[in-house]
Amino acid sequence: MSLRDDFTDCATDVRLYGKVALVTGATSGTGLEIAKNLANRGAKVIIAGRNLTKLADARNTIIHSTGNQNVVARKVDFESLSSIRNFVDTTVRIEPRLDILINNIGAIGLEDRLTQDNLQLMMQVNYFGSFLLTFLLFPILRASAPSRIINVSSLALILGTIDLEHWNDVGKYSNFGFYCNSKLADVLFTVEMEKRIRGSGVNVYSMDPGLGKSEFFRHFENQLLRNTLNAALLKFGRPLHRVATMAVYLAVDPKFESESGKHFRDCHEFFSSLDVNNTVLTKNVWKESKKLVKISYEEDWEN
């Protein structure tokens, strides 16, 4: 499995008329490019973010770029589980279907503190929030099947570790360490979910997008480090519209119909972690995640 940068294998002419796609972290960067790509294919696209001004700007950008007027901007704050629940309630009430969910949101350099939900901030934004969103949206995805979930991870997962007793402990890991742990959790959650929803018509995948031309390190407090890392990304990173093709390819191309639960990079299956083979760990990650995001009996489709 070699690293490829030309993305020539990601090309697909699949159209999405009548389909509904949801992209988180879609007000800028790769998320915005993913939303544009989906809109270009004719889908109704829901973009999710917490800043109303940025959401409005992103919506206008997508419409202007693609000519597709069927773009919805919907507010959600991944620092708040109640915000995610409200977002899901609104989405399920308004949308007749959901065919594609792309969990693109991700951040590094956030404060090492607990949120109001008693979860470490980086872990909540990068993992627990997406877990909750996906769990709550599964029923509508199942009702719309065949449908797909794409969890955007990172190569940093290879440096991650999962200690279920301490993965939310403030001060336990470095900022980068929390990021690595959250991206490993994304992959373990993908593997375990595939086992639990197999046969439902919903497929779930994880992927490593590589480094794109963005200001991904914008949350770093150290100005010199922030500027240096962002400058390196902008110079050496992959063009974002090309990076976006990978997530879209997994979300729409028929060739991946039998590949649910697998991890990808550059549109090919790719190694993630030996931990994906640890069935006890993946099961415990799933159970503990449900506990920490407080899945209620009414919300739990596994009952």
Side-chain angles (χ1 to χ4, degrees):
M1 294 178 290
S2 61
L3 300 183
R4 307 166 65 100
D5 290 322
D6 57 6
F7 310 120
T8 54
D9 291 340
C10 299
T12 178
D13 59 0
V14 173
R15 307 301 294 173
L16 297 172
Y17 298 118
K19 304 294 186 181
V20 179
L22 167 59
V23 186
T24 64
T27 56
S28 63
T30 304
L32 178 59
E33 295 301 324
I34 290 172
K36 286 182 186 177
N37 192 312
L38 294 167
N40 258 325
R41 297 174 187 274
K44 176 181 182 179
V45 180
I46 304 166
I47 56 173
R50 68 176 183 173
N51 186 303
L52 289 175
T53 300
K54 290 182 178 179
L55 276 170
D57 289 345
R59 180 178 181 272
N60 290 335
T61 297
I62 296 166
I63 292 173
H64 178 77
S65 173
T66 67
N68 185 343
Q69 299 284 329
N70 207 3
V71 181
V72 175
R74 194 164 292 154
K75 183 177 180 179
V76 62
D77 184 354
F78 274 71
E79 292 187 23
S80 166
L81 297 185
S82 64
S83 176
I84 294 171
R85 283 184 161 89
N86 290 336
F87 174 90
V88 170
D89 288 345
T90 299
T91 300
V92 171
R93 185 177 71 252
I94 293 175
E95 305 301 334
R97 62 184 302 116
L98 182 62
D99 303 274
I100 296 168
L101 169 61
I102 299 184
N103 289 311
N104 168 75
I105 189 170
I108 194 170
L110 303 180
E111 294 177 74
D112 184 9
R113 63 172 174 83
L114 295 180
T115 67
Q116 62 185 8
D117 302 298
N118 206 36
L119 301 173
Q120 201 277 341
L121 177 59
M122 289 263 288
M123 289 296 297
Q124 179 161 332
V125 170
N126 289 328
Y127 170 63
F128 289 112
S130 294
F131 176 90
L132 177 61
L133 180 73
T134 305
F135 193 95
L136 296 180
L137 286 174
F138 174 72
I140 190 174
L141 287 160
R142 179 176 55 194
S144 308
S147 51
R148 296 186 185 182
I149 301 162
I150 313 300
N151 293 321
V152 179
S153 182
S154 166
L155 189 62
L157 70 88
I158 63 175
L159 299 177
T161 183
I162 300 295
D163 180 348
L164 297 177
E165 293 184 2
H166 301 287
W167 59 349
N168 280 301
D169 288 4
V170 170
K172 174 72 173 178
Y173 303 100
S174 68
N175 197 275
F176 183 64
F178 277 116
Y179 179 76
C180 296
N181 295 350
S182 67
K183 292 304 176 181
L184 175 58
D186 285 331
V187 171
L188 300 183
F189 144 55
T190 300
V191 171
E192 185 63 25
M193 185 171 195
E194 191 281 326
K195 298 172 186 174
R196 292 169 182 262
I197 67 173
R198 191 174 297 164
S200 67
V202 183
N203 284 359
V204 57
Y205 314 85
S206 61
M207 60 163 285
D208 166 22
L211 296 175
K213 292 182 181 294
S214 69
E215 295 184 340
F216 184 62
F217 300 99
R218 61 189 177 278
H219 297 294
F220 277 21
E221 288 188 5
N222 186 303
Q223 183 176 357
L224 177 60
L225 182 60
R226 179 177 68 242
N227 292 344
T228 300
L229 292 174
N230 282 335
L233 277 185
L234 292 171
K235 182 174 179 60
F236 299 109
R238 299 165 158 188
L240 295 183
H241 72 283
R242 300 299 288 154
V243 175
T245 62
M246 293 187 283
V248 175
Y249 189 46
L250 281 175
V252 306
D253 199 271
K255 72 177 288 185
F256 297 109
E257 187 60 40
S258 62
E259 306 298 311
S260 185
K262 296 181 179 179
H263 184 71
F264 293 84
R265 179 185 170 106
D266 300 350
C267 306
H268 296 272
E269 185 180 356
F270 197 76
F271 174 78
S272 57
S273 168
L274 292 175
D275 286 335
V276 300
N277 299 315
N278 185 337
T279 56
V280 173
L281 177 61
T282 61
K283 181 182 295 185
N284 287 337
V285 163
W286 180 270
K287 290 181 176 180
E288 188 66 13
S289 297
K290 285 178 66 175
K291 176 183 176 182
L292 290 175
V293 301
K294 300 179 174 61
I295 297 296
S296 68
Y297 183 84
E298 292 74 21
E299 293 170 336
D300 195 347
W301 42 264
E302 292 190 292
N303 287 331

